[in-house]
Amino acid sequence: MAKEGGWIMLQNIHLMQAWLKDLERALEVIEEFVHDDFRCFLTSEPPGVMQGKLWDLIPEPILQRCIKVADEAPSDLKSNLRRAYSKFSQENIDACLKPREFKATLFALCFFHSLISGRIKFGAQGWSKKYPFNDGDLTICGQVLKNYLNNAENLGTEVPWPDLRYIFGEIMYGGHITDPWDRRVNNTYLAVLVTPELLVGGALAPGFKSPVPGVTAGEAKDAAKLEYSHYVKYIEERFPPEVPQMHPNAEIGFLTNQGISIFKTIADITGGGGGGGSADISASTPLITSYLTALPTNLDMIDIRGRLKEEDYTPFIIVSLQEADRVNALLDQIRSSLLELELGISGALNVTEKMEMLSADLQSNKVNALWAEKAYPSLKALSAWFADLVLRHEQVVEWTAQKLLKSIWISGLFNSMSFLTSNMQAVAARSNSLPLDYMTNRCRFYNTRDLAEITGVPPQAEIGRAEKEIGRHRLLEGVNVHGLFLEGAGWEDGKGEDEAPESPCRRCVRGVPNTPELVDGLICFFECSSFTWDG
């Protein structure tokens, strides 16, 4: 075929990694006699998170020979809607016995597909994981819609809107979804979009309504007059300039992450040529001196434990000691590796591969892998990471000098979940003599931006009207924490104290019994997920 100028397509080569070396050799061999018209097309899915980069899966010589074309869904909503509606044709519309209902619902279904596909770009803010929504889901849903409407027409019944929402949300698209919160989002979209209001110009989004035959398109009031081409024209002419998929801050975060990813990819594929190594290792000497000078001293655990009495070992104190031990282990790792590298540069020690890697990381402002093993999860560059470490050390020093700080920087802990668990142990479980499995943390948010405004550790918690009725479940002390962040959202000043808690600058965390009689009695108990972020 190569001699005759034929064309060949090899699909899904990412599934044949062991054979790709043979393919690489075959391409090299046929270069000697290949016809000018010969073409070899290769297709591959993008690698998953666990697979790494594409150039790690496919041999580099193959990638270098190829003209690479990426087929990805567009990022903007209008292009996504145009692409989704192009999967259907006038023949699909003509095949339905209820054309008016089919046209309106199909257009809403395409808009729904555009929305949930567009959320993927926002990462974990859009969906908790990257679900494989595809055009096949949309076309199958279109076929199901047509079948249901034809059946309703033959039986003389109304459009089964709840059935359609269930099939789309729980079976077709919902079959990909594993997280209950994601399923809730998916079904909420359908509950708003797939409704009878579509037939009378119901709103699909702010400033964007469902097309209505005879009104929107300027045609006679006959469903048959609003054809496939009119919907295509409607998308081009009536789609608003900006239809928010999520909060504007989510778009800012997406563009920021996209820029970081682009520059990181450039650095990965252009850096690290040969000939570096120990010849450049002495260039890190000023950085070693700088970091050793700024590195805090270890905490004296013997002195800290010596100041504690037996009755002082509360859950909060135990967490502070655990944090201090982790800080010391990290400081020891940093100090020893920097001193070894300094001795290696001076010639007192042989330069090892670990020293070379540390020197390269210092010069490229990256956190060394050995340091990251002892540290907390973070994606920051080395300079910001080191400044963050100093702040964490300062909090632990202050915390171990007191029994409890007036506000804990919760995102500055190595293990923030242990602190939240200790709150339930110290405040709720011991006060109510209930198992820890019965406990949960309840948060109240305050519009406090300066730590100086907090006078001390929270006294006995305020007892609200509904809480007084609970009787023996009287809430005792809580703890103030700060360091939480909203991603893809914004906080309105003045909200929080008497509103449903969503996220201000400070919050008071209380442990409360998670029993049915208590939860039912609490007012404004808004259940909201919190996630750790490697930042």
Side-chain angles (χ1 to χ4, degrees):
M1 182 176 289
K3 291 182 179 180
E4 299 171 355
W7 287 16
I8 184 173
M9 173 175 283
L10 304 176
Q11 294 181 308
N12 299 322
I13 62 172
H14 62 285
L15 303 177
M16 305 175 289
Q17 296 181 38
W19 176 76
L20 291 180
K21 289 293 183 182
D22 296 334
L23 175 62
E24 177 187 345
R25 176 58 183 163
L27 293 176
E28 291 177 354
V29 171
I30 65 175
E31 281 184 352
E32 300 177 2
F33 57 82
V34 66
H35 193 279
D36 290 341
D37 294 333
F38 173 73
R39 296 292 183 271
C40 179
F41 296 91
L42 307 175
T43 69
S44 170
E45 289 185 357
V49 176
M50 304 300 295
Q51 295 175 300
K53 307 260 188 323
L54 181 63
W55 51 85
D56 294 332
L57 301 178
I58 300 176
E60 186 176 345
I62 295 180
L63 293 176
Q64 290 176 342
R65 286 186 175 91
C66 292
I67 298 175
K68 290 162 280 293
V69 178
D71 181 21
E72 298 180 356
S75 59
D76 65 293
L77 195 56
K78 182 177 180 180
S79 299
N80 261 324
L81 179 57
R82 186 191 301 117
R83 174 189 172 116
Y85 200 68
S86 68
K87 303 302 175 181
F88 302 93
S89 64
Q90 184 63 44
E91 288 73 20
N92 298 119
I93 297 176
D94 295 337
C96 185
L97 301 179
K98 281 182 173 286
R100 180 168 177 263
E101 290 82 355
F102 182 73
K103 294 172 187 177
T105 310
L106 181 64
F107 190 79
L109 183 62
C110 292
F111 188 74
F112 162 75
H113 179 82
S114 305
L115 283 172
I116 65 171
S117 300
R119 288 179 69 98
I120 295 176
K121 72 177 185 180
F122 296 106
Q125 297 176 33
W127 301 106
S128 62
K129 61 182 295 185
K130 190 174 181 179
Y131 297 115
F133 301 126
N134 54 67
D135 296 337
D137 299 323
L138 176 62
T139 54
I140 293 175
C141 286
Q143 183 66 35
V144 170
L145 173 64
K146 183 186 68 175
N147 293 340
Y148 265 73
L149 292 180
N150 286 346
N151 187 57
E153 179 67 18
N154 293 329
L155 297 177
T157 59
E158 298 294 329
V159 177
W161 300 105
D163 295 350
L164 292 173
R165 287 193 292 266
Y166 182 86
I167 292 174
F168 299 159
E170 297 289 347
I171 301 176
M172 300 303 180
Y173 287 93
H176 298 296
I177 300 175
T178 57
D179 184 82
W181 292 95
D182 291 341
R183 187 177 298 274
R184 180 179 179 180
V185 171
N186 185 66
N187 290 336
T188 301
Y189 274 134
L190 288 169
V192 173
L193 295 175
V194 183
T195 63
E197 285 72 22
L198 293 173
L199 307 179
V200 292
L204 298 176
F208 188 60
K209 295 184 178 182
S210 175
V212 179
V215 177
T216 304
E219 302 288 344
K221 294 187 177 181
D222 179 4
K225 295 295 184 179
L226 193 56
E227 304 295 351
Y228 179 86
S229 59
H230 297 136
Y231 281 92
V232 175
K233 184 178 180 182
Y234 183 79
I235 296 173
E236 300 299 331
E237 296 181 355
R238 299 296 184 90
F239 198 89
E242 294 184 6
V243 175
Q245 293 178 265
M246 296 184 68
H247 193 277
N249 286 346
E251 187 72 25
I252 295 174
F254 160 69
L255 295 175
T256 301
N257 292 334
Q258 191 177 50
I260 293 173
S261 176
I262 291 173
F263 287 117
K264 185 175 184 299
T265 302
I266 293 174
D268 288 343
I269 64 178
T270 59
S278 59
D280 301 322
I281 197 172
S282 60
S284 59
T285 301
L287 295 171
I288 297 173
T289 304
S290 173
Y291 283 121
L292 283 175
T293 303
L295 191 68
T297 57
N298 286 30
L299 289 89
D300 189 345
M301 299 305 297
I302 297 178
D303 178 65
I304 292 173
R305 288 189 167 92
R307 297 196 304 264
L308 297 174
K309 301 177 182 178
E310 184 176 353
E311 60 271 16
D312 291 335
Y313 281 87
T314 64
F316 292 127
I317 294 297
I318 293 174
V319 172
S320 70
L321 296 177
Q322 293 172 346
E323 291 292 317
D325 287 334
R326 292 188 179 100
V327 169
N328 280 348
L330 178 56
L331 294 177
D332 287 339
Q333 178 65 48
I334 296 174
R335 186 175 290 107
S336 62
S337 58
L338 288 176
L339 290 174
E340 285 181 1
L341 178 57
E342 191 174 43
L343 292 174
I345 294 174
S346 65
L349 292 176
N350 292 328
V351 176
T352 63
E353 183 180 355
K354 291 182 179 179
M355 293 182 187
E356 292 180 353
M357 292 178 61
L358 176 57
S359 175
D361 290 339
L362 290 174
Q363 295 178 54
S364 58
N365 200 25
K366 291 173 57 178
V367 179
N368 184 256
L370 296 178
W371 298 2
E373 290 178 1
K374 298 285 186 180
Y376 38 87
S378 178
L379 298 176
K380 293 180 178 178
L382 177 58
S383 56
W385 180 89
F386 190 86
D388 186 69
L389 170 62
V390 174
L391 295 176
R392 291 169 185 258
H393 176 270
E394 291 176 356
Q395 172 170 260
V396 174
V397 169
E398 186 179 358
W399 191 2
T400 51
Q402 308 174 32
K403 292 185 177 180
L404 183 63
L405 298 178
K406 58 184 181 181
S407 181
I408 295 291
W409 177 30
I410 193 167
S411 54
L413 302 179
F414 281 72
N415 186 359
S416 57
M417 282 304 302
S418 66
F419 178 78
L420 295 177
T421 303
S422 70
N423 181 59
M424 294 189 290
Q425 291 175 328
V427 177
R430 295 190 177 186
S431 301
N432 295 279
S433 300
L434 292 173
L436 185 61
D437 291 343
Y438 284 27
M439 301 299 118
T440 188
N441 281 312
R442 184 193 180 199
C443 306
R444 183 173 183 178
F445 291 76
Y446 300 98
N447 290 287
T448 305
R449 296 185 178 276
D450 190 351
L451 280 175
E453 299 179 27
I454 301 177
T455 56
V457 176
Q460 180 168 310
E462 300 176 9
I463 305 299
R465 176 183 56 80
E467 295 164 359
K468 288 181 179 178
E469 299 172 357
I470 298 172
R472 66 185 180 87
H473 294 301
R474 194 165 184 264
L475 304 182
L476 298 178
E477 298 171 349
V479 289
N480 289 326
V481 301
H482 62 280
L484 299 177
F485 298 90
L486 276 177
E487 282 195 310
W491 178 256
E492 296 181 33
D493 287 334
K495 300 287 185 178
E497 299 210 13
D498 298 317
E499 302 281 340
E502 298 192 10
S503 183
C505 305
R506 302 279 180 268
R507 74 173 183 173
C508 178
V509 182
R510 308 173 190 160
V512 297
N514 188 17
T515 56
E517 61 271 19
L518 173 65
V519 174
D520 291 342
L522 289 175
I523 58 174
C524 199
F525 204 138
F526 176 70
E527 184 179 354
C528 180
S529 301
S530 296
F531 302 93
T532 56
W533 177 67
D534 301 346

